[in-house]
Amino acid sequence: MVDSARAQDVQAIAERLDLQRYEFPQEKIHVMTDRGAYLSGDTIRLRAWVVDAATHQPVSASQFVYVELLSPTDSVCERVKIHQDDNGIFQAFLPIPEDLPEGRYQLTAYTLFMQSVGYDYFYRQPVEIMGLMSLKRRLVAQCVRFDDEVEVRLRYMDLSGKPCHFDDLCYMNQYGSMKSCGDGDGEAHFTLKGKDAQKPFVLVEIDGYTKYVPLPSSRKVLVDFYPEGGYLVPEVENAVAFKMHDSGNLIVKSHGELVDERGMVVATLQVEHDGMGVVRFTPRAGGHYTARWRDVFDEFATFDLPQVRPDATVVQVRPDADGQVRIYTAGARTAESVLVVQQRGCLIAASHDTITFSDSELSPGVVQALLLDENGRCLSERLFFAGRETLAATHVETARADYGSREAVEVSVDLNRLAAGGEGSECAVAVIDDHAAIISENDIWSNLLLQSDLRGNVHNPGYYFEQGDSVDASERGRHLDMLMLTQGWRRYDIPRVLKGHVAEPQYPLEASQVVAGRVLSEFRKKPLANAEVGLIIPKMGYANVATTDSLGRFSISVPLLADGVDCVVMAMNDKGKKQTNLELAEERYPENFYLIDTETSNGLTAHVQEEQAWRLVNDDDWRHVRLEELVVTASRRLHKPMVETNRFLTAGDIDRLGITSVDGALRAIGVTNFDKVNITIDGEPLSDLYFTDTESFKEALTMFSSDWKNDKIKRISFAPFNTGTGYDLTDVSIADGFISMQNVDYIDFYRGRHGKITVNFSRKPGSNRVWKEPSRYVKIAHPMGAQQPVEFYSPRYDQGDCGIEPGNDLRRVLYWNPSVKAGKDGKALFDFYSSDAPNTTYTILVEGVTPRGELIRGTQSVIKR
């Protein structure tokens, strides 16, 4: 957009939108999980897709995805870091702690680059988690709000509904401590006041059964009104959407009236879906309009609509019966204003007049229509959803409609309906037992096409995309338009972009793993430029060197790290003097908040809960029993020496002989030729380290070698190795960095056929720390490592009973595969075996994203006899 409205040019508008996407390409994430509800101690299996926000094509600029499990109190229960594998796939598993309280949690996923648009843009998915106590008890809560107080009533019963006695009931107050409310039989109640009553949840505990109980909202505004385009304008038909909030203070009927200032009924008000509705009427200039509903006492509750604005101009969108969409303006529009229609940052049309196009011409998704004046100021905005009718489910087919126990179920996913064909595409697959599990509420359509483009949370987004013979498509489309009227745009500030102000990202792309920090001078504590910083990863045999910039900052790239791998870092100034003021940058994660609306239905019925409890007790795969604290009184098993051991030292020998180093230990057992020694700790070899870049390793090693000999620092964790390509270290004393002799339980060794000696240091039980206290010149970085994927186990009964007794295979998840690839025929094929659970159905869920950005979504049901 240029300075004058008369000089508006479609090409200029398109170029500025293209520039914004080029300077700040945004990312979206979608996560598919194997199910939507779990038990404490279960494992969440997931597949993530990172796509370009504009095209939905998969992108690989961000190499890491972070997945967190958030509690209703905003605390991070678990976090994993996922690295994109060689096939471009993000897959992971997230273990659920066994002591996690029961409740509705939230799975959130993001890249560090996505912080540039804020946590509102992160992927979020509700996850129901049952506590272990729910296998034999039920804790049902009913909460009622009275002004600033909430009365909480609890029923504590067994699975049959019989009341249970409890010895102690307590809840967590605003200070984080548990407040006791006494004992009882079956029922209990307490009242929350002050700040305790303002929280969205309260954590309650009855005899070890902990549960997050949602509290009713304390909102004072019960109805919000959203005129189409932002204002009420006179003498033309206006559409006004409204959203009703039930705070617990006022329960109103689903229908009401719209009256003018004279008390005349202008229109009826009808709540159609999720508290939303739309009323259409023609306001008069100077008129004042009020909405009123009758409450439970048959009295009117009234709410004022926004004022009528004769000076306003609004954008209105009207679909025609023939599938055409007409976008035009109403009100006091000036001739120099311009209509701009864009989708995900891409220009669709720009005109001074009415814009008309076919709904099927647009890609499915949220579209934004803006009316801008000659100075680029936004006069009105209207969101609408296009292309909903063009969404087609992926065809999923099984060889038969029903199956018996332990039969092979062969599945074909036909991807040929995709525009580019199915060859080369891949998708993730989950198969669940409907009687004992539920599918996640979020799906790839509702997330990438809807939720990720709107401000705020959408209640049950999958509702708007449901398909089938029983679904009224026109009704769903009408409800979806109500959502568009009541939600807000949350991506680029398009009017600002069209005026030439391009937004820029505030966080860099995480293309690789780095260890960063800064170096300060010894006395003045000023940034030290041109200092050399060396990094060594002993466990991986890797070394690297970096130089600080003018602000004393450094960043050293490291290879992909697994959990528990430490990095040794040391710095020298430009004169070769070691520096003590070395600061490692702390790994920071974005501030995250629990944003799931508790009003959303979770689908976890009492029947599903009872079925899960029964199966977990009877399933062969359930081998965990919750016990009270155990005290072991037996003597510790004596050490069995290694095969062919010539001699070994016990912990008592180490203490009696005063052995304090690996060097001293080797000499005590008669080893003098250190060149022929392999050292292992707990059976893990520490010798034969290889370095792909020998020169960089030698350069980094010069920083540390003087410490080993002059300062007697035995903190650097290296062992000797002898290779033709590496840098040969023969001073075994440096292996002391791996272990403290105080933690050694025994030492044994044996001599090989060619004179090579292997010495094993076994640590005492519970001695998990390998490192000793560090040198003042050395810092240890503990970067979060990427998770290594684990394959999902599914029994293959064509190879036998797989160790599962007949009748005991009661799996809730039958099959999970994060990547099933299509063949040349465009079909993705897989199979799984049915379980022993009788009279149930399986749901097969398939999701994915093609290289061209097409979304794959399909389901199929299978009957299990």
Side-chain angles (χ1 to χ4, degrees), residues 110-119 121-122 506-508 588-591:
Y110 56 88
T111 66
L112 296 184
F113 183 68
M114 289 172 63
Q115 295 178 88
S116 297
V117 290
Y119 64 84
Y121 187 40
F122 295 170
Q506 303 300 312
Y507 293 85
R588 296 186 179 276
Y589 305 99
E591 190 175 17

Side-chain angles (χ1 to χ4, degrees), residues 553-791:
R553 299 173 303 187
F554 67 89
S555 179
I556 305 178
S557 295
V558 298
L560 183 64
L561 301 178
D563 290 332
V565 176
D566 294 334
C567 303
V568 184
V569 186
M570 187 175 175
M572 290 193 308
N573 62 16
D574 54 4
K575 297 180 180 179
K577 183 180 179 180
K578 297 182 295 295
Q579 301 298 300
T580 59
N581 292 322
L582 169 63
E583 298 178 356
L584 296 179
E586 181 182 354
E587 285 192 296
R588 296 186 179 276
Y589 305 99
E591 190 175 17
N592 214 342
F593 299 96
Y594 182 101
L595 295 181
I596 295 297
D597 196 319
T598 58
E599 296 177 4
T600 304
S601 174
N602 59 51
L604 191 61
T605 63
H607 172 74
V608 173
Q609 290 180 304
E610 293 173 5
E611 184 74 13
Q612 286 199 60
W614 181 81
R615 292 194 184 189
L616 289 171
V617 172
N618 293 277
D619 195 337
D620 259 5
D621 196 38
W622 180 251
R623 300 184 178 94
H624 300 86
V625 180
R626 192 179 181 88
L627 301 174
E628 299 299 328
E629 180 180 353
L630 298 178
V631 178
V632 179
T633 58
S635 301
R636 183 161 61 92
R637 182 173 59 89
L638 296 177
H639 158 62
K640 182 180 179 181
M642 296 169 55
V643 180
E644 298 184 52
T645 294
N646 300 104
R647 184 176 179 184
F648 69 92
L649 300 178
T650 65
D653 296 330
I654 295 173
D655 182 59
R656 177 175 53 82
L657 298 174
I659 299 174
T660 60
S661 66
V662 173
D663 188 348
L666 296 180
R667 295 183 186 279
I669 59 178
V671 177
T672 56
N673 187 355
F674 299 150
D675 292 342
K676 294 185 177 182
V677 174
N678 288 327
I679 297 178
T680 64
I681 295 181
D682 294 333
E684 179 182 356
L686 300 180
S687 55
D688 296 327
L689 302 180
Y690 293 87
F691 300 85
T692 57
D693 187 352
T694 305
E695 293 303 319
S696 65
F697 168 66
K698 290 182 180 180
E699 185 179 356
L701 194 61
T702 58
M703 298 184 182
F704 299 92
S705 59
S706 61
D707 278 346
W708 293 335
K709 297 179 179 179
N710 300 332
D711 298 338
K712 306 298 184 183
I713 295 176
K714 298 174 182 178
R715 177 67 173 79
I716 312 305
S717 55
F718 267 150
F721 64 95
N722 296 276
T723 71
T725 58
Y727 187 77
D728 189 13
L729 295 176
T730 58
D731 186 358
V732 298
S733 63
I734 58 179
D736 284 330
F738 277 109
I739 192 168
S740 168
M741 288 297 111
Q742 296 176 350
N743 293 332
V744 174
D745 196 13
Y746 57 86
I747 306 170
D748 52 5
F749 74 97
Y750 69 92
R751 192 179 302 275
R753 294 177 57 188
H754 301 289
K756 197 76 171 181
I757 300 173
T758 298
V759 181
N760 180 62
F761 293 79
S762 295
R763 290 176 293 171
K764 296 176 181 177
S767 299
N768 296 322
R769 290 295 298 170
V770 174
W771 300 103
K772 297 186 292 184
E773 291 301 318
S775 159
R776 63 192 183 101
Y777 298 116
V778 174
K779 301 291 183 182
I780 307 300
H782 310 280
M784 183 179 184
Q787 187 186 74
Q788 300 298 312
V790 176
E791 184 177 356

Side-chain angles (χ1 to χ4, degrees), residues 79-222:
R79 177 188 290 120
V80 295
K81 182 177 183 178
I82 316 171
H83 179 253
Q84 189 177 43
D85 66 16
D86 294 338
N87 297 316
I89 297 172
F90 291 98
Q91 61 170 310
F93 63 93
L94 195 148
I96 302 174
E98 292 186 357
D99 58 350
L100 212 60
E102 184 170 310
R104 187 175 176 84
Y105 290 74
Q106 179 186 96
L107 191 75
T108 179
Y110 56 88
T111 66
L112 296 184
F113 183 68
M114 289 172 63
Q115 295 178 88
S116 297
V117 290
Y119 64 84
D120 277 340
Y121 187 40
F122 295 170
Y123 174 83
R124 299 180 188 279
Q125 171 185 319
V127 174
E128 291 288 338
I129 295 181
M130 297 170 53
L132 289 173
M133 292 291 288
S134 65
L135 297 179
K136 59 179 181 179
R137 296 285 189 269
R138 288 287 181 268
L139 181 57
V140 181
Q142 182 180 15
C143 304
V144 180
R145 179 174 293 279
F146 300 97
D147 295 327
D148 293 331
E149 296 183 356
V150 176
E151 183 175 334
V152 181
R153 297 183 178 273
L154 301 173
R155 288 189 297 141
Y156 189 53
M157 51 193 173
D158 60 21
L159 300 185
S160 66
K162 181 180 178 181
C164 297
H165 174 78
F166 57 91
D167 295 321
D168 185 30
L169 162 67
C170 52
Y171 70 89
M172 182 175 290
N173 61 21
Q174 58 180 306
Y175 304 107
S177 58
M178 302 301 290
K179 182 176 180 179
S180 179
C181 300
D183 57 3
D185 290 294
E187 294 189 3
H189 73 276
F190 56 88
T191 301
L192 300 174
K193 301 179 180 180
K195 292 184 178 180
D196 286 335
Q198 306 308 314
K199 299 183 298 183
F201 292 86
V202 61
L203 180 63
V204 299
E205 180 178 353
I206 293 184
D207 291 351
Y209 191 150
T210 56
K211 182 175 183 177
Y212 283 107
V213 174
L215 302 180
S217 170
S218 60
R219 289 178 61 107
K220 299 301 181 183
V221 179
L222 296 177

Side-chain angles (χ1 to χ4, degrees), residues 438-458:
I438 62 173
I439 288 290
S440 167
E441 295 175 18
N442 287 17
D443 62 66
I444 198 166
W445 285 351
S446 63
N447 177 49
L448 293 183
L449 300 179
L450 185 66
Q451 176 69 81
S452 60
D453 281 328
L454 296 177
R455 179 180 292 115
N457 186 65
V458 177

Side-chain angles (χ1 to χ4, degrees), residues 513-532:
Q513 196 149 15
V514 300
V515 172
R518 65 173 184 167
V519 181
L520 304 179
S521 62
E522 290 294 310
F523 301 106
R524 301 182 63 189
K525 304 299 187 292
K526 298 295 183 181
L528 191 61
N530 299 318
E532 285 195 349

Side-chain angles (χ1 to χ4, degrees), residues 17 40 197 220 225 374 445 542 804 835:
L17 288 174
S40 297
K220 299 301 181 183
F225 297 94
E374 63 274 15
W445 285 351
Y542 176 85
I804 304 176
S835 69

Side-chain angles (χ1 to χ4, degrees), residues 333-352:
R333 177 185 175 184
T334 63
E336 295 178 334
S337 58
V338 60
L339 272 173
V340 176
V341 181
Q342 66 91 20
Q343 184 182 43
R344 298 195 287 269
C346 301
L347 180 66
I348 296 174
S351 174
H352 292 282

